Amino acid sequence: MPHITVQLYPGRDGETKKRLAEALVEAASRELSRAKEHFSVSVVDVPQDEWKQAVYDKVVSGADTVIQPGYSM
């Protein structure tokens, strides 16, 4: 059961987050050949002043990151 977590700066409304989640499930379902019902998605707002500690240091700079960002911290 794949779970997708999206972490981003606050500011998007619930409908935007829902559309993003639906698009991610659509793409993941297609690429992994699994029914959409197998996926769950969470969208987590992370304040900019917490980004480095909460996201960049723990997730982005890790060995499991498949696509690295075009920025560094």
Side-chain angles (χ1 to χ4, degrees), residues 20-41:
L20 173 61
E22 290 170 347
L24 291 169
V25 167
E26 183 71 35
S29 172
R30 181 179 60 250
E31 294 301 322
L32 299 176
S33 301
R34 301 288 295 179
K36 294 177 195 174
E37 295 78 24
H38 291 270
F39 294 88
S40 58
V41 178

Side-chain angles (χ1 to χ4, degrees), residues 46-59 73:
V46 179
Q48 185 173 357
D49 62 337
E50 297 175 19
W51 188 263
K52 183 176 185 321
Q53 179 184 9
V55 179
Y56 190 83
D57 291 344
K58 289 184 178 180
V59 181
M73 300 193 103

